[in-house]
Amino acid sequence: MLGSMSDTLPSKPLATPRRVWSIPRAGSLSRLALHTEPLAPPGSGEVQVEVTAVGVNFADVFACLGLYSATPSGKFTPGLECAGRVRSVGADVDRWRPGDRVMVLTRFGGYATALNASAATLWPIPESWSDAEAAAYPVQALTAWYGLTALGNARPGAVVLVQSAAGGVGLNALQALQTLGARAVAVVGSAAKREWLIGQYGGQYGLTPETVIVRSPRLAADLDAALASLGAQGFDVVFDAVYGADFEPSFARLAAEGRHVLFGAADFMSVGRRPNPLRLAWQYLRRPRLDPLAMISQNRGLLAFNLIWLWHEASRLPEAMRGTLALIPNPPHIGGCYAFEDAQAALAAIQSGKTMGKLVLEPHRAAEPAAE
Ligand SMILES: NC(=O)c1ccc[n+]([C@@H]2O[C@H](COP(=O)([O-])OP(=O)(O)OC[C@H]3O[C@@H](n4cnc5c(N)ncnc54)[C@H](OP(=O)(O)O)[C@@H]3O)[C@@H](O)[C@H]2O)c1
């Protein structure tokens, strides 16, 4: 006897529900909203990942505020990285199996409890690392690796100025410099960060009270004192994503052949939930500028980059991840874990400029009870 149609046709894979943060258009953090939607099965070349941790980046705030040039126009989900377990794989995916622990690079879309990602953007989680550490690693470690080696040309013995040294990228940069045998001078935004950095990592990264500086109007004198304590004439590399008042005194202290590597403009961060256009315009008009002709005779250079281009160069990712893990082999410092529902609080914390290390969202963590 013939079976019914439903017995004979292959069953169609079903969409599964997921929670996702999205914003209808960039411009204000208040527009970010959490909702539930169906997630289709993975397409050809894709892997479906159940997300267990999401990395929070300073760039996520810039993206929501509309101050990040790579931000999609219209509705988007923030998030450049996450970690989790492979749930299922689409056609033409050989490398990954259900259950594999993976970190995922996402060009936006990471703030989700499950997602479909191109198989080429996944990387296995080192065995001893937690999922939170894995989600915290790719963006900031790749940034430190690329900026310090490919652009900064940091070598053993080099003297390198690291801005925001207690932050996510900054701590990765300090670890990279230790591996390279280079010497770091750290700049941070508060006395509390300075104390924490010296106490937590001073011994490991060769930092002394002279080489950890709190940003202040007397920065030039502090930089000179730090260089003198290292017996150095100038910096071989300045690693800078602040682009504020420190820019000119740092550039002026580059040694011959020194490179200032610029990869962000944290100084342009807004204070509230939406940008202040007048303040931004004023800052933009007064931004530090350089004269390329003067750079020739000074033998100093400025290089700049945005790593987001790498997300489109999937064939280069394995080489990039291998290089990064060799340079920065230890898991990152997690400064705070938040429930997935508390993404707004995590973004506010990183926007404040007070955080140390990396913040992570965890879908399986219970949300903080609302304040009375
Ligand atoms: N180009 C790229 O490909 C790329 C990739 C990743 C990150 N980035 C950039 O690298 C920087 C570090 O990123 P991250 O995710 O690791 O963040 P983070 O360093 O953990 O946090 C940002 C830090 O910026 C500093 N800052 C300076 N002025 C600020 C202001 N007006 N408001 C708030 N914070 C201010 C604060 O530290 P201190 O006060 O201690 O300096 C703050 O902690 C960011 O500027 C980010 O946009 C660029």
Side-chain angles (χ1 to χ4, degrees), residues 56-60 62 68 80-81 139-144 146 162-172 187-190 193 213 215 239-244 246 262-271 279 283 304-309 311 349-359:
V56 176
N57 288 285
F58 201 66
D60 301 343
F62 269 125
Y68 185 43
L80 303 172
E81 63 193 344
V139 170
Q140 295 175 343
L142 281 164
T143 300
Y146 182 74
V162 179
Q163 279 283 357
S164 303
V169 175
L171 289 172
N172 278 285
V187 176
V188 293
S190 69
K193 285 189 184 184
I213 297 169
R215 190 174 304 117
F239 196 52
D240 175 16
V242 176
Y243 190 45
D246 301 0
L262 186 68
F263 59 103
D267 197 45
F268 281 69
M269 177 53 78
S270 304
V271 177
R279 179 177 166 264
Q283 249 187 311
F305 74 98
N306 184 351
L307 204 76
I308 199 103
W309 61 263
W311 280 220
I350 196 162
Q351 182 187 20
S352 75
K354 293 183 181 154
T355 54
M356 293 177 257
K358 178 86 173 197
L359 304 186

Side-chain angles (χ1 to χ4, degrees), residues 27-360:
S28 168
L29 284 162
S30 313
R31 295 183 192 141
L32 200 59
L34 181 60
H35 56 99
T36 302
E37 65 177 26
L39 176 66
S44 175
E46 285 185 339
V47 173
Q48 186 164 109
V49 177
E50 179 180 345
V51 176
T52 50
V54 180
V56 176
N57 288 285
F58 201 66
D60 301 343
V61 184
F62 269 125
C64 293
L65 292 174
L67 301 176
Y68 185 43
S69 56
T71 309
S73 55
K75 183 178 174 183
F76 73 97
T77 290
L80 303 172
E81 63 193 344
C82 61
R85 306 271 178 293
V86 172
R87 243 189 213 166
S88 56
V89 300
D92 302 322
V93 175
D94 300 325
R95 180 164 180 205
W96 305 105
R97 300 268 172 279
D100 285 349
R101 294 179 72 220
V102 289
M103 33 181 139
V104 189
L105 282 160
T106 52
R107 184 177 171 144
F108 301 97
Y111 283 34
T113 56
L115 49 78
N116 294 326
S118 161
T121 61
L122 272 53
W123 195 257
I125 298 179
E127 218 162 89
S128 60
W129 290 21
S130 69
D131 290 6
E133 288 168 338
Y137 186 78
V139 170
Q140 295 175 343
L142 281 164
T143 300
W145 163 76
Y146 182 74
L148 288 172
T149 60
L151 300 192
N153 194 31
R155 303 272 176 92
V159 178
V160 180
L161 177 65
V162 179
Q163 279 283 357
S164 303
V169 175
L171 289 172
N172 278 285
L174 294 178
Q175 193 188 142
L177 294 174
Q178 182 202 31
T179 307
L180 287 168
R183 294 171 292 167
V185 172
V187 176
V188 293
S190 69
K193 285 189 184 184
R194 177 175 184 271
E195 199 178 317
W196 177 83
L197 193 57
I198 294 174
Q200 185 91 6
Y201 288 108
Q204 193 175 341
Y205 297 145
L207 298 168
T208 64
E210 289 75 34
T211 58
V212 183
I213 297 169
V214 179
R215 190 174 304 117
S216 80
R218 46 161 287 133
L219 182 89
D222 288 341
L223 293 178
D224 289 339
L227 285 168
S229 79
L230 295 173
Q233 300 295 320
F235 295 107
D236 299 294
V237 186
V238 172
F239 196 52
D240 175 16
V242 176
Y243 190 45
D246 301 0
F247 179 87
E248 279 163 352
S250 308
F251 188 87
R253 283 162 180 75
L254 279 175
E257 296 186 90
R259 302 173 181 206
H260 192 122
V261 179
L262 186 68
F263 59 103
D267 197 45
F268 281 69
M269 177 53 78
S270 304
V271 177
R273 294 176 74 77
R274 59 173 67 231
N276 176 338
L278 283 178
R279 179 177 166 264
L280 277 178
W282 176 244
Q283 249 187 311
Y284 183 75
L285 289 172
R286 291 168 51 91
R287 71 193 186 280
R289 291 171 212 222
L290 294 175
D291 175 1
L293 278 181
M295 289 159 71
I296 297 174
S297 52
Q298 292 167 341
N299 266 295
R300 294 174 183 150
L302 173 71
L303 296 111
F305 74 98
N306 184 351
L307 204 76
I308 199 103
W309 61 263
L310 192 62
W311 280 220
H312 289 301
E313 304 272 331
S315 62
R316 293 179 64 178
L317 264 179
E319 176 213 337
M321 283 303 289
R322 271 193 288 274
T324 301
L325 281 158
L327 190 66
I328 305 169
N330 299 323
H333 179 92
I334 308 291
C337 292
Y338 290 73
F340 186 69
E341 293 82 355
D342 293 335
Q344 296 259 17
L347 289 169
I350 196 162
Q351 182 187 20
S352 75
K354 293 183 181 154
T355 54
M356 293 177 257
K358 178 86 173 197
L359 304 186
V360 172

Side-chain angles (χ1 to χ4, degrees), residues 15-31:
T16 47
R18 68 167 183 169
R19 285 177 302 149
V20 60
W21 283 98
S22 60
I23 186 162
R25 63 181 194 290
S28 168
L29 284 162
S30 313
R31 295 183 192 141

